[in-house]
Amino acid sequence: MSVTLDALNAADRAAFVTALAGLLAPLPEAAIDAAAAQRPFASVTTLHEALMRAAAADAPAVFGVLPDLSASDLRDASAGESGPTPEQAATLARGVAAHRARFGLPFVLCATRHDPASALARLTARLADDPAAAQAAALAELGHLLRQRLAASVDGPGLPGVNGRLSTHVLDTHGGRPAAGVALRLYALGAGRRLVTATTTNRDGRTDAPLLSGAPLRAGRYEIEFDLGPYFRDRVPETVGNLFLETVPLRFGIDEPEGHYHVALIATPWSYTCYRGS
Amino acid sequence: MSVTLDALNAADRAAFVTALAGLLAPLPEAAIDAAAAQRPFASVTTLHEALMRAAAADAPAVFGVLPDLSASDLRDASAGESGPTPEQAATLARGVAAHRARFGLPFVLCATRHDPASALARLTARLADDPAAAQAAALAELGHLLRQRLAASVDGPGLPGVNGRLSTHVLDTHGGRPAAGVALRLYALGAGRRLVTATTTNRDGRTDAPLLSGAPLRAGRYEIEFDLGPYFRDRVPETVGNLFLETVPLRFGIDEPEGHYHVALIATPWSYTCYRGS
Amino acid sequence: MSVTLDALNAADRAAFVTALAGLLAPLPEAAIDAAAAQRPFASVTTLHEALMRAAAADAPAVFGVLPDLSASDLRDASAGESGPTPEQAATLARGVAAHRARFGLPFVLCATRHDPASALARLTARLADDPAAAQAAALAELGHLLRQRLAASVDGPGLPGVNGRLSTHVLDTHGGRPAAGVALRLYALGAGRRLVTATTTNRDGRTDAPLLSGAPLRAGRYEIEFDLGPYFRDRVPETVGNLFLETVPLRFGIDEPEGHYHVALIATPWSYTCYRGS
Amino acid sequence: MSVTLDALNAADRAAFVTALAGLLAPLPEAAIDAAAAQRPFASVTTLHEALMRAAAADAPAVFGVLPDLSASDLRDASAGESGPTPEQAATLARGVAAHRARFGLPFVLCATRHDPASALARLTARLADDPAAAQAAALAELGHLLRQRLAASVDGPGLPGVNGRLSTHVLDTHGGRPAAGVALRLYALGAGRRLVTATTTNRDGRTDAPLLSGAPLRAGRYEIEFDLGPYFRDRVPETVGNLFLETVPLRFGIDEPEGHYHVALIATPWSYTCYRGS
């Protein structure tokens, strides 16, 4: 169900509040009402900014209705695939209680932007913060939540960016050309090791589709395995039984859910260079 | 128990044969006797060469007494740590029988130079050879066996090299200096993943002792994990929760048991280059 | 002055010959006439292929009218900027005469695809060939000449590719981002060193326009100088007076005039990696 | 002419002063006398430290006798090869006068540690300093001067390090081995471009002797040219006329005259990595 920005701009104040209250459950109606006064909005992004200003101005009310991050939020965000373990869920519950006790605030986190380990690491870091930083962090997370909901629900110009992208490229500097036909696999390394996608490089050494796209990247740790062995086998003397490079693992962290991570591999049978590119 | 090259050169023929027969069980006395005629030997290496010429000249007799590689050879070679699995032992037994059936020859392999997976890969490759290549390979392996025994048992100049070496070096090109204090672990990746050694780089970015030395390297697959996360943590903005590089795995094959493998890592928080150096 | 492929397909045979004879001076009319019989052509590329088949079938006549490469061809191809030196012109004249004497053939070379040094290197290589290879090479060069003329003169689908591209990209793996604002200069290294273009990387670490495009790349040697000093100055302690890297020269050869050369630089203040990418 | 540390420790005070005054012309006798009281010195380095403490304690007297850096100092330091140009000499004279005018201090610089361009750059930087920093810099340079003279003149344990070293290493990651037989040339890039040494890599990819050693490295800019073309020629298809990499220039700065600069090149026919190693 979505609504257009034009309709929101044209609606009477009560209708504006009702429309958005349905979409943005965690925001109190008073804050939405405050934003209504600033219409018309030229873009969805300026609507988002007005809502966030209103939320910041009425922070106590906002924090009164915002729920804590829960294990089921994390489970929903991962589409059931790599949700929190029972141990992680217990750690989360304890940490959330500590957060309430210490700051009198909910522990707000936009669940689609983190895998469980990354979410718990944020919670640990938050608990070491001072109260002002904790409140600022909670508002920032509310900002992420609202941005995603607006991007999903309101049609109009200036949609905020909420999706990230992970791409790769394999270059063969033994032969001086893109490395085509290299099988590769992306794993998410959370509690365990989960295959996310398996594909093969095309003739430009890239993959036909990004490894991840169309959604926020979940902050966490990942690994790509590149099968260089078959690609380089005939460039190495036959007498070599154990190739120096066979399957090359590249383990890396993602920290910007809306970012573009280009992870490149430049390889020979005896060396490789990998880096976060652009 | 060892003997000097001088003593072997000075011994009468029968004593020469007896001394070496005790050391070199797999070689028929006739071959040792043939080598005796070529004394004196200026070096242990020339003694080895003479024995191998004699063995090649009387190959049928040599192959008559040479035993097949057995699972217990592989187990002994690994000091019990990462010997063959029951499945590998069964595969070996079947392959050895096939080798006998196909070539009428024992499957000779110098066990200390291979981990079980590498030994089985050699056997598979051998079974695809033609008879002449199979015989040449068996003699070459006998050469490795004798070289190790002579190096261990005969004191004298010109000892043949039988030991390999694995070393590493971590360079920090973010700061322009060796990376000191980086924890690293070497694993052997055979049937499973076995920690071989754990250490930390010194102020020159190297390890105080080679990762492997003083013995032939066992051909097979290995991995070094380098903990770059703690080393680079304070070079990356604090707001970055998930570092791009944390633990960097470098997976590689060893194929020359007597070789020097220098595996170098040149790193920044956002990239690394690794290669087989020298 | 150009003509459409449709018009050429529809023209009567004599008009077809006349139209193309005007465009393709080096080709005898008989060869054009032979190609006319194969109309209609679905693409400019198939027209090119038909003309080349006709030329190959009547090679003696073709070689009878083809002129030798001359110093003024090289001068014209370079737009006057970096034409041959008097010494190169003399070497060319001597080599062309030797080519005629040795093979009874003109020395054919598509001048826009080579700088003078590269053209002379081709001539030297040609003189070491056997007659069959020399004739094949002359036909191949005619193919390049005709392809360029057709691409410039005939409007229609399936235009053959005659232009190359040189691009660059500077990545900062000290900071983990594209290197923006790096001044760089491209030089052609022929007889002397000629500045071709000077520009600065944009926020993606690339240049707004390719360094070379819209024409065949002239085979030869080139250099890009990247001014990394100002970019990295504040990442290195102030006490360092002479930066390790200041202006980084990357010297490389171009050999495929129609190719895409992507020359990338991945740098820190203490290291860099460069490669031909894609 | 040299003296032993033992003799200096044993000498009476006047003889100590006389001996060192001859060696250390720029130091006032009073400072030497003050150091004499702290004998015996366990090492030449502790003697140096004592002299520097005495100099710092009596800075006005020291600066009263210390000469300004002169063009002939730079010329002597370069063994006549790459001394300052007339223009550089004039710039130096003007700068020295400005330094006297601004700080009332000589412009002290240990000439063997800088090429003329680097010396002038130091002077420019010095002129932008505040008086306290200028005085500290002058004392630090006096420390370099004395250290070199003591190292050259006093025999004894604990000699201070005054020499630097520049070495290189070429690795071939196309073939997985050291690059042997690569011709290379080191140039000093001062006012002009002067060949310092030309050599060829040995079978370990290194040079038999360091490129520079046995003296302080003169801070300044340098370039090594590596002739990779002949080395890789037969790894690239014969049809390639202009190799991508032919002569590879590596341009770098030296800033630590007593340092070890290891400049490594890791190359394939299509890429290379270079870095300051260790």
Side-chain angles (χ1 to χ4, degrees):
Chain A
M1 190 204 69
S2 74
V3 61
T4 68
L5 185 60
D6 284 347
L8 289 174
N9 277 329
D12 66 33
R13 193 146 172 168
F16 176 87
V17 171
T18 306
L20 287 183
L23 296 173
L24 310 176
L27 210 58
E29 296 200 358
I32 302 176
D33 188 64
Q38 300 177 43
R39 290 180 298 166
F41 298 111
S43 67
V44 183
T45 291
T46 54
L47 165 58
H48 176 259
E49 291 163 355
L51 288 166
M52 286 308 299
R53 277 194 305 274
D58 195 15
V62 169
F63 293 133
V65 302
L66 275 178
D68 288 297
L69 176 73
S70 71
S72 60
D73 292 335
L74 290 173
R75 197 170 308 120
D76 293 348
S78 64
E81 275 197 273
S82 173
T85 62
E87 196 167 78
Q88 287 176 320
T91 303
L92 175 62
R94 277 195 306 275
V96 160
H99 191 276
R100 288 257 174 207
R102 164 119 208 254
F103 303 119
L105 292 176
F107 174 62
V108 187
L109 194 81
C110 180
T112 56
R113 301 175 78 250
H114 294 274
D115 75 6
S118 177
L120 289 175
R122 282 297 168 101
L123 175 49
T124 302
R126 203 75 67 75
L127 288 170
D129 270 348
D130 59 49
Q135 175 159 336
L139 276 175
E141 289 296 325
L142 173 65
H144 292 306
L145 282 163
L146 291 188
R147 192 183 296 112
Q148 290 187 0
R149 295 191 187 185
L150 291 175
S153 313
V154 180
D155 286 338
L159 269 182
V162 296
N163 296 335
R165 188 152 51 106
L166 171 66
S167 59
T168 193
H169 188 192
V170 188
L171 204 68
D172 161 11
T173 52
H174 184 278
R177 53 180 171 262
V182 174
L184 60 93
R185 293 167 296 285
L186 171 69
Y187 295 90
L189 309 178
R193 174 185 178 86
R194 183 176 58 86
L195 179 67
V196 178
T197 189
T199 183
T200 298
T201 56
N202 59 25
R203 57 195 298 263
D204 193 35
R206 303 178 195 269
T207 57
D208 287 339
L211 298 179
L212 295 172
S213 68
L217 304 177
R218 294 171 76 208
R221 304 213 65 77
Y222 294 83
E223 183 173 307
I224 307 179
E225 285 187 342
F226 299 89
D227 288 345
L228 292 189
Y231 182 82
F232 279 128
R233 174 65 264 193
D234 65 354
R235 320 272 188 97
V236 174
E238 258 190 62
T239 49
V240 175
N242 288 286
L243 295 177
F244 186 65
L245 297 182
E246 188 81 65
T247 291
V248 164
L250 174 46
R251 207 173 289 166
F252 60 98
I254 285 183
D255 196 62
E256 303 163 23
E258 294 82 23
H260 176 199
Y261 282 75
H262 181 68
V263 174
L265 183 70
I266 307 177
T268 78
W270 306 98
S271 67
Y272 60 92
T273 293
C274 51
Y275 56 95
R276 179 176 178 184
S278 74
Chain B
M1 187 204 70
S2 76
V3 61
T4 67
L5 185 61
D6 284 346
L8 289 173
N9 276 329
D12 67 32
R13 196 147 170 169
F16 177 88
V17 172
T18 305
L20 287 183
L23 298 172
L24 311 176
L27 210 59
E29 295 200 359
I32 300 175
D33 188 63
Q38 299 177 44
R39 291 179 298 166
F41 297 111
S43 68
V44 182
T45 292
T46 54
L47 165 59
H48 177 259
E49 290 164 356
L51 288 166
M52 287 307 299
R53 278 194 304 275
D58 195 15
V62 168
F63 292 133
V65 302
L66 276 178
D68 288 298
L69 177 74
S70 70
S72 61
D73 292 335
L74 289 174
R75 199 170 307 119
D76 294 349
S78 64
E81 275 197 274
S82 172
T85 61
E87 197 166 79
Q88 287 176 321
T91 303
L92 175 62
R94 277 195 307 274
V96 159
H99 192 276
R100 288 258 172 208
R102 166 116 208 254
F103 303 120
L105 291 176
F107 174 62
V108 187
L109 194 82
C110 179
T112 55
R113 299 175 77 252
H114 295 273
D115 76 7
S118 177
L120 289 175
R122 282 296 168 99
L123 175 50
T124 303
R126 202 74 66 75
L127 288 170
D129 271 347
D130 58 48
Q135 176 160 336
L139 277 175
E141 289 296 325
L142 174 65
H144 291 307
L145 283 163
L146 291 188
R147 191 183 297 110
Q148 291 187 359
R149 294 192 188 184
L150 290 176
S153 312
V154 179
D155 286 339
L159 269 182
V162 296
N163 296 334
R165 188 152 53 107
L166 172 65
S167 58
T168 192
H169 188 190
V170 188
L171 204 68
D172 161 11
T173 52
H174 184 278
R177 53 179 171 263
V182 174
L184 60 93
R185 294 167 296 285
L186 171 69
Y187 296 90
L189 311 177
R193 174 184 178 85
R194 184 174 59 86
L195 178 66
V196 178
T197 188
T199 182
T200 298
T201 56
N202 58 25
R203 58 196 296 262
D204 193 36
R206 303 177 194 269
T207 57
D208 287 339
L211 298 179
L212 295 174
S213 68
L217 304 177
R218 294 172 74 207
R221 303 214 67 75
Y222 293 84
E223 183 172 308
I224 306 179
E225 283 187 343
F226 299 89
D227 288 346
L228 292 188
Y231 182 81
F232 280 129
R233 175 65 263 194
D234 66 354
R235 321 270 190 97
V236 174
E238 257 190 62
T239 50
V240 175
N242 288 285
L243 295 177
F244 186 65
L245 297 182
E246 187 80 65
T247 291
V248 164
L250 173 46
R251 207 173 289 166
F252 60 98
I254 285 182
D255 197 62
E256 304 163 23
E258 294 82 21
H260 177 198
Y261 282 74
H262 182 68
V263 174
L265 182 70
I266 306 178
T268 79
W270 306 97
S271 67
Y272 58 92
T273 293
C274 50
Y275 56 92
R276 180 177 177 184
S278 75
Chain C
M1 188 205 70
S2 75
V3 61
T4 67
L5 184 61
D6 284 346
L8 288 174
N9 276 331
D12 66 32
R13 192 144 172 172
F16 177 88
V17 171
T18 305
L20 286 184
L23 296 173
L24 310 176
L27 210 56
E29 294 199 359
I32 301 175
D33 188 64
Q38 300 177 45
R39 292 179 297 167
F41 297 111
S43 69
V44 183
T45 291
T46 54
L47 166 58
H48 176 259
E49 290 164 355
L51 288 165
M52 286 308 299
R53 276 195 305 274
D58 196 15
V62 168
F63 292 133
V65 302
L66 275 178
D68 288 299
L69 176 74
S70 71
S72 61
D73 291 337
L74 289 173
R75 199 171 306 119
D76 294 350
S78 65
E81 276 197 272
S82 173
T85 62
E87 196 166 78
Q88 288 177 320
T91 302
L92 175 62
R94 277 195 307 275
V96 160
H99 192 275
R100 287 258 174 209
R102 164 116 210 254
F103 302 119
L105 292 176
F107 174 62
V108 187
L109 194 81
C110 179
T112 55
R113 298 175 80 253
H114 294 273
D115 75 7
S118 177
L120 290 175
R122 282 295 168 101
L123 176 49
T124 302
R126 203 75 65 77
L127 288 170
D129 269 348
D130 60 49
Q135 176 159 334
L139 277 175
E141 289 296 325
L142 174 65
H144 291 308
L145 282 163
L146 291 188
R147 191 183 296 111
Q148 290 187 359
R149 294 192 189 183
L150 292 175
S153 311
V154 179
D155 286 340
L159 269 181
V162 296
N163 295 335
R165 188 153 52 105
L166 172 65
S167 59
T168 192
H169 188 191
V170 188
L171 203 68
D172 161 11
T173 50
H174 184 278
R177 53 179 172 261
V182 174
L184 60 93
R185 295 167 296 284
L186 172 69
Y187 296 91
L189 310 177
R193 174 184 179 84
R194 182 175 60 85
L195 179 66
V196 178
T197 189
T199 183
T200 298
T201 56
N202 58 25
R203 57 196 296 263
D204 192 36
R206 303 177 194 269
T207 58
D208 287 340
L211 298 180
L212 295 174
S213 67
L217 304 177
R218 295 172 76 209
R221 304 214 65 76
Y222 294 83
E223 183 173 308
I224 306 178
E225 284 187 344
F226 299 89
D227 289 346
L228 292 188
Y231 181 82
F232 279 128
R233 175 65 262 195
D234 66 353
R235 319 270 190 98
V236 174
E238 259 191 61
T239 50
V240 176
N242 288 284
L243 294 177
F244 187 65
L245 297 181
E246 187 81 66
T247 291
V248 164
L250 173 46
R251 207 173 289 166
F252 60 98
I254 285 183
D255 196 62
E256 303 163 23
E258 294 82 21
H260 177 199
Y261 282 74
H262 181 68
V263 174
L265 182 69
I266 307 177
T268 79
W270 306 97
S271 68
Y272 60 93
T273 294
C274 52
Y275 56 93
R276 180 177 177 186
S278 74
Chain D
M1 187 203 72
S2 74
V3 61
T4 66
L5 185 61
D6 284 347
L8 289 174
N9 277 330
D12 66 34
R13 194 144 173 172
F16 177 87
V17 171
T18 306
L20 286 183
L23 298 172
L24 310 176
L27 210 58
E29 294 200 359
I32 301 175
D33 188 65
Q38 300 176 44
R39 290 180 299 169
F41 297 111
S43 68
V44 182
T45 291
T46 54
L47 165 59
H48 177 258
E49 290 164 355
L51 289 166
M52 286 307 299
R53 277 195 304 273
D58 195 15
V62 169
F63 293 133
V65 301
L66 275 178
D68 288 298
L69 177 74
S70 71
S72 60
D73 291 336
L74 289 173
R75 198 171 307 118
D76 294 347
S78 64
E81 274 196 275
S82 174
T85 62
E87 198 167 77
Q88 288 177 321
T91 303
L92 175 61
R94 277 195 308 274
V96 159
H99 192 275
R100 288 257 174 208
R102 164 117 209 256
F103 302 118
L105 291 177
F107 174 62
V108 187
L109 195 81
C110 179
T112 54
R113 299 175 79 252
H114 294 274
D115 75 7
S118 177
L120 290 175
R122 283 296 169 101
L123 176 49
T124 303
R126 203 74 66 78
L127 288 169
D129 270 347
D130 58 51
Q135 175 160 336
L139 277 176
E141 288 296 325
L142 173 65
H144 291 307
L145 282 163
L146 292 189
R147 191 182 297 109
Q148 290 187 0
R149 294 192 187 185
L150 291 176
S153 312
V154 180
D155 286 338
L159 270 182
V162 295
N163 296 334
R165 187 151 54 105
L166 172 65
S167 58
T168 192
H169 188 192
V170 188
L171 203 69
D172 161 11
T173 51
H174 183 277
R177 52 179 172 262
V182 173
L184 60 93
R185 293 167 296 286
L186 171 69
Y187 295 91
L189 309 178
R193 175 182 177 85
R194 181 174 62 85
L195 178 66
V196 178
T197 189
T199 183
T200 298
T201 55
N202 58 25
R203 56 196 299 261
D204 193 36
R206 304 177 194 269
T207 57
D208 287 340
L211 298 179
L212 294 173
S213 67
L217 304 177
R218 293 172 74 209
R221 302 215 66 77
Y222 294 83
E223 182 174 309
I224 306 178
E225 285 187 344
F226 298 89
D227 290 346
L228 292 189
Y231 181 82
F232 279 129
R233 175 64 264 196
D234 65 355
R235 320 271 189 97
V236 174
E238 259 191 59
T239 50
V240 175
N242 288 284
L243 295 177
F244 186 66
L245 297 182
E246 188 81 66
T247 291
V248 164
L250 173 45
R251 207 173 289 165
F252 60 98
I254 284 183
D255 197 61
E256 304 163 22
E258 295 80 22
H260 176 200
Y261 282 73
H262 181 68
V263 173
L265 182 70
I266 307 177
T268 79
W270 306 96
S271 68
Y272 59 91
T273 293
C274 50
Y275 57 92
R276 178 175 179 186
S278 74

